[in-house]
Amino acid sequence: MATPLTRVEHRSSEADLDAMWAEQENAWHLGFALIWASTFVVVVLAPAGHLGRLPEMALLVVLAVVYAAFGVPGMRAGGERRGHAYLVLAWLCVLGMQVLNADTQSWLLYFILFPHLWVVLHTRLAIITTVLILAALAVIRIAQSDGSREVLTSIGLSSVISLGLSLALGLFIDRILREAQTRARTIDELNATRNELSAAERDRGVLEERERLSREIHDTLAQGFTSVLALSRAADAALARGDVDTARERLALVDATARDNLSEARLIVAELTPGHLQSRTLVEALGRLTAAVSAESKVPTALSVLGDPAPLGGSGEVVLLRSAQEALANVRRHAHAHRSTVTVDYRGADVVVLTVADDGRGFEPAAAAEGATGGGFGLDGVRARALEIGGAATIESRPGAGTRVRVEVPR
């Protein structure tokens, strides 16, 4: 399988694999130089052919020039044509050395030239070329032999062994390279999918938060403004009739409703606090929330912490804070409670438990699930948030017996 030796700038896994191959380029050049030099020394020292040593030495020099001119750029990206030219010329030099000297030691070059086949060529072409080269060498050796049965058997056996070893090593290397490229491609695909999922989760979070805020505004400010508008029209109608007492009563209700709306607006702003967890602990954020509820509503709210507080990570703490916000929002709007409590229990080994309880009028949870009561967005949001991080939420309530919201998140 062709594996270009090239450097890349982007940092995907496939790019890292290509960069690794590029870093091996000098090792390939050094390997060629060492084997070429060894072959040159052996040719000089070995018995000369019928034309002497100079033709073999000349072909070795030509081989070095061919490698520098075509082999080096041919093993880089975009150098496929030069790589093919290098292989053709290099093997012609080796075959020529075999023709010039039947006892040539040019076989040492096989250790680098056969691997080059698998670097430059694709798998099928590398197999075909390997078979053709070994067949050509066998034909030349047979032509140079005396044709005896022993020599022919030796040539055939050595050619078969060489072919088997060359193909086994080449296919093994090819398989490793394919697996590495497949793994790199899979990692890149997984990273891309993870990034897409992260973006989708962020978008979903934004949409859910927008939906929550729209319902908060609809359930509080919009209804309050509707009441103000209706009361102001009633006061105007009373003045038109000359009923000053009724007009003053309606205006007093307008004032009270406007004050309530202002309190609700401040509470909504106070509820946008998960980002503040970056600079304060969950207990501090809950203390701020309960203080705001007590100050802006007529429902005294107390915070109790059991055990030693410990960080839960952003998701767990946001879920608990949001759950407290949703539960207290329902207390303010629907419970008609005299008091409420928020308890955080850190004593569990595996979970942290948040409990929000009130002594209000309560409701039927089954009826609320069917939409028979005005529970708002809160309870469904509490359950959904807890489930998203592997936690759980339960709501216990009965008419006239108050409500208890319990949320567990894993440590």
Side-chain angles (χ1 to χ4, degrees):
M1 180 179 63
T3 305
L5 304 178
T6 179
R7 292 187 181 274
V8 293
E9 297 297 330
H10 55 283
R11 303 312 303 169
S12 66
S13 295
E14 289 189 271
D16 289 339
L17 182 62
D18 290 339
M20 181 272 292
W21 277 105
E23 293 172 357
Q24 303 301 316
E25 186 175 346
N26 291 333
W28 284 93
H29 300 333
L30 179 61
F32 179 88
L34 291 175
I35 293 177
W36 182 90
S38 300
T39 305
F40 191 90
V41 171
V42 172
V43 168
V44 171
L45 299 178
H50 60 283
L51 296 178
R53 294 188 180 90
L54 288 179
E56 281 189 85
M57 296 169 61
L59 286 176
L60 278 173
V61 172
V62 171
L63 176 60
V65 174
V66 167
Y67 182 78
F70 297 98
V72 172
M75 287 188 290
R76 296 175 180 171
E80 185 174 353
R81 291 185 177 181
R82 291 192 178 187
H84 292 172
Y86 156 67
L87 291 177
V88 171
L89 295 175
W91 280 108
L92 285 177
C93 289
V94 173
L95 293 175
M97 295 173 68
Q98 181 67 48
V99 171
L100 292 173
N101 184 2
D103 296 323
T104 182
Q105 302 300 309
S106 59
W107 57 268
L108 292 172
L109 294 169
Y110 299 170
F111 289 103
I112 193 67
L113 293 184
F114 274 116
H116 281 178
L117 291 176
W118 298 90
V119 171
V120 176
L121 303 178
H122 292 283
T123 305
R124 181 177 299 178
L125 187 56
I127 294 174
I128 295 174
T129 305
T130 299
V131 173
L132 292 177
I133 289 173
L134 289 173
L137 287 170
V139 169
I140 294 173
R141 292 175 62 191
I142 291 174
Q144 294 172 331
S145 69
D146 58 7
S148 65
R149 183 173 182 179
E150 291 79 6
V151 172
L152 294 179
T153 301
S154 175
I155 293 174
L157 184 60
S158 63
S159 297
V160 171
I161 294 175
S162 298
L163 178 62
L165 292 176
S166 299
L167 293 182
L169 180 60
L171 291 173
F172 176 72
I173 296 174
D174 178 74
R175 180 177 179 181
I176 292 176
L177 295 178
R178 285 182 181 274
E179 290 181 353
Q181 288 184 334
T182 300
R183 187 177 295 109
R185 191 177 301 111
T186 301
I187 292 174
D188 287 341
E189 291 174 354
L190 289 175
N191 288 333
T193 302
R194 183 178 61 183
N195 293 335
E196 292 175 359
L197 289 175
S198 297
E201 287 294 325
R202 287 193 297 270
D203 292 341
R204 189 183 71 171
V206 170
L207 292 175
E208 288 179 349
E209 189 64 10
R210 287 177 179 174
E211 180 183 0
R212 191 192 74 84
L213 288 175
S214 66
R215 292 185 180 183
E216 292 277 358
I217 294 171
H218 175 270
D219 291 344
T220 57
L221 301 182
Q223 293 181 4
F225 288 136
T226 301
S227 298
V228 168
L229 181 60
L231 290 170
S232 64
R233 289 176 178 175
D236 183 66
L239 287 175
R241 297 193 305 270
D243 190 349
V244 178
D245 293 336
T246 300
R248 287 177 177 174
E249 181 184 348
R250 297 294 183 270
L251 290 175
L253 290 174
V254 167
D255 181 82
T257 302
R259 288 178 182 274
D260 290 342
N261 249 28
L262 179 60
S263 297
E264 290 290 348
R266 290 173 177 171
L267 288 173
I268 289 175
V269 173
E271 287 175 358
L272 298 177
T273 55
H276 291 263
L277 287 172
Q278 297 175 1
S279 58
R280 57 169 58 91
T281 65
L282 173 63
V283 172
E284 291 173 340
L286 289 173
R288 183 172 179 268
L289 176 64
T290 54
V293 171
S294 298
E296 298 291 345
S297 70
K298 298 178 181 179
V299 183
T301 304
L303 173 64
S304 177
V305 180
L306 305 179
D308 296 326
L312 301 178
S315 298
E317 293 186 343
V318 168
V319 167
L320 291 181
L321 179 59
R322 280 298 191 197
S323 298
Q325 291 170 346
E326 300 290 2
L328 290 176
N330 279 335
V331 170
R332 294 196 314 272
R333 296 172 198 160
H334 309 297
H336 299 285
H338 296 93
R339 62 185 301 274
S340 62
T341 60
V342 177
T343 303
V344 188
D345 190 348
Y346 286 94
R347 295 175 298 180
D350 301 321
V351 297
V352 175
V353 181
L354 170 76
T355 304
V356 180
D358 66 76
D359 60 356
R361 63 182 182 180
F363 62 94
E364 286 288 352
E370 296 173 0
T373 187
F377 179 74
L379 300 183
D380 290 338
V382 168
R383 293 190 183 95
R385 291 180 193 277
L387 288 174
E388 284 177 359
I389 63 169
T394 57
I395 292 93
E396 300 175 2
S397 183
R398 294 198 314 273
T403 301
R404 183 172 179 268
V405 178
R406 175 186 169 91
V407 181
E408 296 180 359
V409 298
R411 284 184 176 271

